[in-house]
């Protein structure tokens, strides 16, 4: 499993999280990855562009989504999120 966050500029961040599971004993062989670009328009306004579903890799240690899944894969979905905090 891996998780990487990079500040590209003061307002732009790239984030990725992935896991690969291979266990012949438990007969599990799958991988999933999640990508996210975050742009802070203003301090309280954020925009996110995401690829993949984050719940399979949301907690890389002791996560039931990883342990209990016999076969999972990257979910091919693209999301754009606009968030305003007030």
């Amino acid at each position: 499993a891996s998780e990487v966050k990079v500040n590209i500029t003061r307002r732009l961040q790239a984030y990725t999280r992935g896991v690969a599971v291979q266990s012949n004993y438990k007969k599990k062989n799958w991988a999933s990855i999640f990508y996210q670009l975050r742009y802070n328009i203003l301090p309280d306004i954020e925009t996110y562009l995401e690829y993949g579903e984050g719940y399979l890799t949301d907690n890389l240690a002791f996560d039931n989504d990883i342990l209990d899944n016999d076969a999972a894969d990257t979910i091919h979905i693209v999301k754009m999120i606009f968030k305003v905090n007030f």
Side-chain angles (χ1 to χ4, degrees):
S2 68
E3 184 173 75
V4 177
K5 179 179 175 185
V6 177
N7 294 327
I8 299 169
T9 68
R10 203 179 76 207
R11 293 183 177 200
L12 183 63
Q13 296 174 341
Y15 177 75
T16 185
R17 186 174 59 226
V19 64
V21 177
Q22 185 174 11
S23 171
N24 293 332
Y25 175 72
K26 293 191 174 191
K27 297 185 179 14
K28 295 180 183 195
N29 188 10
W30 60 271
S32 182
I33 197 154
F34 171 74
Y35 297 104
Q36 181 184 75
L37 279 176
R38 174 183 175 200
Y39 183 72
N40 293 335
I41 299 169
L42 293 171
D44 290 330
I45 302 174
E46 305 167 354
T47 303
Y48 297 86
L49 180 61
E50 298 179 346
Y51 173 75
E53 190 62 63
Y55 77 88
L56 286 172
T57 59
D58 59 355
N59 186 0
L60 295 178
F62 307 111
D63 190 356
N64 288 336
D65 293 329
I66 294 172
L67 297 174
D68 295 340
N69 271 323
D70 292 330
D73 198 3
T74 300
I75 298 171
H76 302 288
I77 186 169
V78 175
K79 293 181 189 176
M80 181 137 187
I81 300 166
F82 184 74
K83 186 172 158 183
V84 178
N85 301 312
F86 54 93

